[in-house]
Amino acid sequence: MDVQTTFLDRLFESGLLIDTGVDGLYGRSGQFEDVISAFERLIDKFGGADGAEAMRFPPGMNRAFFEKSGYMKSFPQLAGTVHSFCGSELDHIGLLQCMEVGDDWTKDQQATDIVLTPAACYPLYPTVARRGKLPMSGGLFDLQSYCFRHEPSQDPARQQLFRMREYICMGTEQHVTDFRQRWMDRGVEMMKAVGLDVAIDVANDPFFGRAGKMLANNQRDQNLKFELLIPITSVAKPTACMSFNYHQDAFGTKWGLYLEDGSVAHTACVGFGLERIALALFHHHGLEVKQWPAKVRQALWG
Ligand code: ATP
Ligand code: ZN
Ligand code: MG
C-alpha cells in the first residue's frame, strides 16, 4: 500500500474526510471545516487592512463567460459542464427505460447555461468589466468558491470539488506585481505561523496538448506563476497550497478591463487551496487538533 492511500485511509478512519465512493469527492467533518474557517480568519487578518471588496459566487458560472475565457482551449481535460434533462414525457419514458437496462441515460442530456467554476476568480473579470473603467488606484477583490476540476485521484490533496480563496488585483503592471510579491511574503509568514515548512518555486499550468507545451514553457520562462509548496503526500513532490499568478494584460484585453487613463489593466491573482492547507496541517501536526502545538492553535484560534 503506498503512502498516499495510507493518509487517505487515515483521513477516512478519523472521519475528517467522508468517503462518497468517488475519488476526489469527499464530505468533510465539522473538525475539518473548523480548521478551514480558522485558517480563513488568519487570511482575513493578513489581508484585511488592504480593503479588498468581498464577493461570493456559487460554484457554477455563466457558460457564455466560461466559453469566452478560453478555458476549453487550455484545459479541456479539467472542465465540468452542467447538463439537464429537457425532454418530453415520451422522452422521459425512454430515459427511465434506458436507466432500467443500465444503458447510458446521460447522452440525451442538454447543456444548461451553467458550467462548474474552474477557479474562484473566473466569474470576476466580466463582472468588473461591466462596471466600466477602474480608478488609477486599481481594484482589489476577495473571493472564495468551490471549484471543480476533473482530475480524480487517490491523493487526498487532489480533489475534484475543493475550495479556493483568492485575492485578485487589477491595475498597472507595477501595482499588480507588487501585490503578488506582497502575498508571496505573507504566504510564507502565515505558514510559518501555523508551523508549516514551505518552499516557493516557479510553476506552470497543465495546458492541454502539444500547443500547450509552448504555453507552459512561456509561463515558466516569464515567471508568470509561482507556487507555495508544502510536503503532504510526498516530500520529493511537495503539494502546491497557494499559487501566485500574473496574467500581464491578457485578462484585461480579453475582458475589456481598462484604467481611467484608457490603458488596459494588468491583473494578478493569489489563490489559497483551503483543503490542501487543512490537509497539510493534519499531516504535520496529527489528526487530533487538540494535540497540535500550542503555538499553532494560538495562531488559528487565538
Ligand atoms: P497543481 O499543480 O497541484 O495541479 P494548480 O497549479 O492546478 O495545482 P491552481 O490552478 O494554481 O493549482 O489553483 C490554485 C490553488 O488551488 C492551488 O495552489 C491549490 O492549492 C488548489 N488546488 C488546485 N487544484 C486542486 C485540487 N485538485 N484539489 C485541491 N486543491 C487544489
Ligand atoms: Zn485566479
Ligand atoms: Mg492542477
Side-chain angles (χ1 to χ4, degrees):
M1 192 180 280
D2 66 29
V3 180
Q4 291 182 1
T5 312
T6 306
F7 186 44
L8 182 58
D9 283 344
R10 285 171 59 223
L11 290 161
F12 285 160
E13 277 160 26
S14 66
L16 286 165
L17 291 187
I18 303 156
D19 192 357
T20 67
V22 177
D23 285 344
L25 182 73
Y26 309 120
R28 295 94 162 96
S29 72
Q31 180 64 269
F32 193 91
E33 289 302 291
D34 194 26
V35 168
I36 288 196
S37 305
F39 194 84
E40 283 212 85
R41 286 196 298 273
L42 190 65
I43 298 173
D44 295 336
K45 218 181 270 179
F46 274 76
D50 299 348
E53 177 182 343
M55 290 186 209
R56 294 292 180 265
F57 290 94
M61 67 177 286
N62 183 331
R63 176 157 65 99
F65 293 154
F66 173 84
E67 287 164 1
K68 183 167 170 178
S69 77
Y71 197 82
M72 291 308 282
K73 270 191 204 145
S74 298
F75 312 111
Q77 77 280 21
L78 299 175
T81 52
V82 178
H83 284 61
S84 274
F85 170 75
C86 304
S88 64
E89 265 183 74
L90 194 62
D91 296 327
H92 183 220
I93 292 167
L95 170 84
L96 294 182
Q97 274 167 354
C98 199
M99 291 182 89
E100 186 74 32
V101 297
D103 278 349
D104 179 10
W105 61 273
T106 61
K107 61 184 188 303
D108 291 326
Q109 301 272 101
Q110 304 279 319
T112 66
D113 289 335
I114 298 175
V115 299
L116 297 175
T117 304
C121 62
Y122 270 62
L124 179 70
Y125 307 103
T127 303
V128 174
R130 210 166 45 204
R131 291 179 174 177
K133 286 181 179 167
L134 287 153
M136 289 313 289
S137 56
L140 183 64
F141 305 92
D142 164 352
L143 275 80
Q144 196 254 54
S145 176
Y146 259 102
C147 297
F148 175 85
R149 294 185 186 177
H150 185 235
E151 44 187 2
S153 167
Q154 302 241 320
D155 177 354
R158 188 166 298 285
Q159 306 191 359
Q160 298 201 63
L161 275 159
F162 58 94
R163 273 159 293 179
M164 208 186 279
R165 174 80 181 267
E166 281 199 56
Y167 284 103
I168 301 92
C169 184
M170 304 175 182
T172 62
E173 170 169 9
Q174 187 68 47
H175 182 120
V176 308
T177 52
D178 284 353
F179 153 88
R180 184 173 71 151
Q181 184 58 52
R182 186 158 56 248
W183 274 108
M184 281 202 252
D185 298 340
R186 284 174 176 172
V188 173
E189 206 186 318
M190 290 173 75
M191 298 307 173
K192 200 171 148 202
V194 295
L196 295 172
D197 280 334
V198 307
I200 291 209
D201 204 355
V202 292
N204 60 261
D205 287 314
F207 295 102
F208 189 77
R210 218 180 316 148
K213 285 243 157 49
M214 272 158 53
L215 293 172
N217 289 339
N218 177 62
Q219 193 181 33
R220 246 175 196 279
D221 295 346
Q222 297 206 56
N223 288 344
L224 298 183
K225 180 179 180 107
F226 287 93
E227 287 176 339
L228 181 148
L229 303 159
I230 308 177
I232 300 181
T233 38
S234 154
V235 176
K237 278 188 134 196
T239 301
C241 291
M242 286 185 73
S243 75
F244 311 89
N245 307 283
Y246 174 39
H247 317 124
Q248 298 169 303
D249 62 359
F251 286 10
T253 302
K254 179 181 297 289
W255 295 107
L257 297 164
Y258 299 101
L259 300 178
E260 230 151 34
D261 67 359
S263 62
V264 177
H266 285 233
T267 61
C269 68
V270 167
F272 293 84
L274 296 176
E275 281 76 13
R276 286 188 178 178
I277 292 167
L279 290 169
L281 287 164
F282 284 113
H283 188 258
H284 283 259
H285 302 312
L287 301 186
E288 276 294 336
V289 172
K290 286 199 189 82
Q291 283 158 28
W292 287 7
K295 187 196 103 165
V296 174
R297 287 160 51 86
Q298 173 68 28
L300 287 170
W301 287 280

